[in-house]
Amino acid sequence: MTYQELINTILQLQEEGLEIFSVGKSVLGKDILATHLGDYSGVQIVIQSAIHAREYITALLAVELARNLHNNDLVHDGGIYIIFITDPDGVEIVLDGIDTVDCEITRNYLINGNNGSTDFSQYKANINQVDLNTNFDASWGGGSQNVFCPNSENFIGFYPNSEREVQSLINFTLRNKPLLTISYHSKGNVIYYGFENQSQKDIDRDRQIGEALSGVTGYPIIFTENSTGGYKDWCIDKLKIPAYTIEVGDENLPHPIGVENLPEIYARNKDVPLVALEKAKEFANQIDFMTPIVQNNNKEVKHESNEKGYISRIQSRFARRNTDRSSDSKRQ
């Protein structure tokens, strides 16, 4: 599968009657595509996929979930937002390879962060080599696997909410005020719930909802430990709403999970959206959406929607770094 074939699979939903729209932009200006099912009034939930580049199987799962809900007219008295590819720049590199990056400076930057390899099949990050699911302002930098330098995975960024994709997802969430979110990842066949410093009352609530999701998927639920900075974590920590990470695909499968595994993954997850929406309605009186003060969300440079603009920013950073080093040498 190529990146364009994946995008065409998403856009095909328009011909089936679904509205496809953008919830924001990637660093290189690609649209972060989404759809909505059901009513715009009433309780809303968000299902988000492919925030890690190599986990594009979750984007295909999201397409099938949207198709099933729409074709069977299943969503009523509330609505479900489905975001297909949260990291489109990274997914394109995984699917089409590093040669799709035209600029040599960018290619070298990415290859260097990928341990010198031109094989990007295992790549998780965005074009800035930031792992987007560690960049949210939720105990940012406190995860056991976090790294602090640009890398193909686990780099938290230079400050929380630094990445354009993260800012897009934050702004979209604050506009639409969901009462529950689900983030699809691969792999492990497990559901993570809860977050550090959460009240026991909210933990109990979230466990009950998680048990319902476990009941339809067969995945066990596990309380989150030693992992921070994810979208789920931010939703729990800052918005005070139930949020879940669902890891699909058997742990023994290699990354990236092949399309041949989609039927089994879909079969186990096809009822998740409706169960999540119904549980959000059931617990709505126990969920108070908090509107946080979002730090660092206005620091974004006005990004040009092309690689040339991206490269000019990288060059400026290197120039400033060299100037600083020169000044330090003179002082010494």
Side-chain angles (χ1 to χ4, degrees):
M1 169 173 281
T2 66
Y3 177 74
Q4 190 56 54
E5 287 172 342
L6 177 56
I7 294 298
N8 290 344
T9 299
I10 296 168
L11 296 178
Q12 173 66 33
L13 294 173
Q14 292 180 120
E15 298 182 17
E16 300 175 28
L18 282 83
E19 178 189 10
I20 302 296
F21 52 86
S22 175
V23 304
K25 298 284 188 178
S26 69
V27 171
L28 295 184
K30 295 183 182 66
D31 285 311
I32 299 173
L33 299 175
T35 192
H36 181 271
L37 299 117
D39 303 319
Y40 282 98
S41 60
V43 170
Q44 304 295 310
I45 70 170
V46 169
I47 296 175
Q48 171 267 128
S49 303
I51 200 168
H52 284 148
R54 70 188 185 189
E55 298 173 14
Y56 60 84
I57 189 69
T58 61
L60 293 169
L61 170 61
V63 168
E64 295 306 318
L65 294 176
R67 177 175 285 124
N68 176 57
L69 293 169
H70 177 67
N71 288 344
N72 294 287
D73 190 27
L74 294 172
V75 187
H76 304 284
D77 303 320
I80 301 173
Y81 288 97
I82 296 180
I83 301 172
F84 298 104
I85 307 176
T86 310
D87 180 14
D89 296 341
V91 169
E92 183 178 40
I93 294 171
V94 169
L95 284 172
D96 294 350
I98 191 62
D99 289 341
T100 59
V101 179
D102 292 331
C103 179
E104 183 179 1
I105 294 173
T106 310
R107 287 200 305 273
N108 290 339
Y109 173 70
L110 290 166
I111 291 169
N112 185 56
N114 196 43
N115 296 317
S117 174
T118 58
D119 178 1
F120 278 78
S121 61
Q122 303 300 303
Y123 193 75
K124 290 178 67 177
N126 74 345
I127 199 74
N128 285 336
Q129 295 187 19
V130 175
D131 185 326
L132 297 176
N133 208 50
T134 66
N135 186 239
F136 290 85
D137 185 17
S139 297
W140 177 77
S144 62
Q145 296 183 354
N146 289 167
V147 300
F148 304 92
C149 185
N151 200 278
S152 61
E153 60 182 333
N154 300 329
F155 173 47
I156 64 175
F158 291 109
Y159 56 86
N161 303 340
S162 63
E163 300 310 293
R164 197 179 192 189
E165 299 88 349
V166 167
Q167 294 171 14
S168 294
L169 190 51
I170 286 174
N171 290 332
F172 168 79
T173 305
L174 294 178
R175 285 196 307 271
N176 292 286
K177 294 180 169 55
L179 294 193
L180 183 151
T181 69
I182 290 173
S183 298
Y184 269 112
H185 288 252
S186 63
K187 54 189 178 173
N189 288 345
V190 65
I191 300 171
Y192 291 101
Y193 77 100
F195 191 59
E196 59 187 41
N197 301 322
Q198 192 179 15
S199 72
Q200 189 59 51
K201 178 181 177 182
D202 286 351
I203 290 174
D204 293 341
R205 174 200 67 193
D206 294 1
R207 183 188 301 111
Q208 289 183 62
I209 298 173
E211 287 171 349
L213 298 175
S214 176
V216 296
T217 59
Y219 302 157
I221 59 170
I222 298 177
F223 187 83
T224 302
E225 293 182 325
N226 301 318
S227 179
T228 64
Y231 178 59
K232 172 191 77 67
D233 308 327
W234 179 80
C235 288
I236 295 172
D237 189 47
K238 295 296 191 289
L239 309 183
K240 310 303 180 185
I241 63 175
Y244 303 86
T245 292
I246 301 182
E247 300 274 1
V248 302
D250 188 88
E251 183 64 36
N252 294 321
L253 293 173
H255 281 303
I257 292 179
V259 176
E260 67 274 9
N261 296 286
L262 182 60
E264 189 269 341
I265 291 172
Y266 168 71
R268 297 186 71 162
N269 286 273
K270 65 183 178 65
D271 295 325
V272 164
L274 283 180
V275 169
L277 179 59
E278 290 308 310
K279 286 298 176 181
K281 294 177 189 176
E282 178 183 337
F283 285 86
N285 63 348
Q286 299 181 34
I287 304 171
D288 295 319
F289 185 100
M290 304 290 289
T291 301
I293 297 173
V294 181
Q295 296 180 339
N296 301 322
N297 212 38
N298 295 316
K299 286 189 175 181
E300 179 187 7
V301 176
K302 295 298 182 182
H303 292 278
E304 298 88 342
S305 297
N306 55 55
E307 191 176 332
K308 182 178 179 181
Y310 168 72
I311 289 305
S312 70
R313 295 192 300 278
I314 292 292
Q315 290 173 324
S316 295
R317 291 172 191 169
F318 281 126
R320 287 197 301 271
R321 185 182 304 169
N322 291 335
T323 299
D324 292 341
R325 288 175 177 171
S326 177
S327 298
D328 290 341
S329 297
K330 289 178 180 178
R331 284 195 294 270
Q332 293 174 358

